[in-house]
Amino acid sequence: MKIVPLLTCFALATVAFAQDKATPQGPIVTDRPDFTESANVVPLRWLQFESGFTYQGIRGGSSISGPEALIRYGMAPRSELRIGIPDYGRLVLLGNSEVGFADGSLGFKFETEKPVLGFDVAVIVETSIPTRGAFSSDSSEPAVKLCYARDFSSGWSLSAMSVGVWTKDDGNRTILQQTVALARELSGGLGFFIEYAGTYHKSMKSEHVAHGGFAYQLSNDRQIDLHFGTSLSGNDRMPFIGVGYAVRF
């Protein structure tokens, strides 16, 4: 856990003394509110902070978690440092309440110099950092994410992410995840998206989620979002709703 605040302070100090920030080539691009991470990195020497809260209904109770804080720092023209701050959550189930921390994360994102087959492509390598909290996995879980996206005419865009996670839960095993999102820019900085996310286990039933929402750019460097969705697996739909904020400086 000590490495997270250390690296956070390092990133903040580097930004404070940097003299050669890159000029952003457009409005802020975030990794939220959809599950699909963007295929773009934060501009060189810029710091981007993304956060939010999510409420989910479950059979016999509910849960709320946040701040979903992700710190992204542009280390080089096509790479970024990523620090995920542990969420703090509250689960109420059948009249019983449990509160505590989930895991943090540390990783890097690398963006290709040119599109691949017409798609912008980025690779994220990261690992979770156990907190030993109430919602912690209690072990590091490395992951690799392949992100790819393409813009079309009339403001439409398609993005997707393929993920491999190595976990020690119930023995060593690999979890595969796939997301696909379709988004459209509307007028005045408003946009919306619809998304499918699937998680595929070797010895368990697959999990499927339908997701959608809106993002509104308050300025070139600030964004707010509202998103909602539901699981499509089993008999319990477990709907959720969340809000978020992102800023770049």
Side-chain angles (χ1 to χ4, degrees), residues 142-178:
V144 176
K145 303 178 179 180
L146 176 63
C147 314
Y148 35 105
R150 184 170 184 173
D151 294 330
F152 298 98
S153 59
S154 304
W156 288 96
S157 63
L158 177 68
S159 58
M161 181 175 69
S162 304
V163 184
V165 182
W166 289 265
T167 176
K168 293 183 179 179
D169 275 353
D170 301 322
N172 293 324
R173 59 191 176 92
T174 302
I175 298 175
L176 300 179
Q177 299 172 328
Q178 181 63 53

Side-chain angles (χ1 to χ4, degrees), residues 30-118:
T30 67
D31 281 355
R32 59 167 304 118
D34 55 359
F35 300 126
T36 307
E37 313 281 31
S38 70
N40 303 104
V41 300
V42 172
L44 177 64
R45 306 259 194 254
W46 283 75
L47 186 70
Q48 189 161 305
F49 179 77
E50 306 177 14
S51 64
F53 290 87
T54 299
Y55 172 88
Q56 183 167 28
I58 57 178
R59 175 177 288 187
S62 63
S63 69
I64 186 168
S65 62
E68 300 174 1
L70 175 63
I71 298 172
R72 304 171 58 192
Y73 172 64
M75 300 174 54
R78 287 184 296 277
S79 64
E80 70 178 35
L81 170 68
R82 302 165 60 84
I83 302 173
I85 306 301
D87 278 349
Y88 187 78
R90 180 173 185 263
L91 172 66
V92 178
L93 184 62
L94 300 176
N96 298 313
S97 178
E98 185 173 16
V99 297
F101 286 98
D103 293 337
S105 65
L106 174 65
F108 300 89
K109 180 190 282 191
F110 305 95
E111 179 184 349
T112 59
E113 183 176 4
K114 296 180 180 179
V116 179
L117 300 177

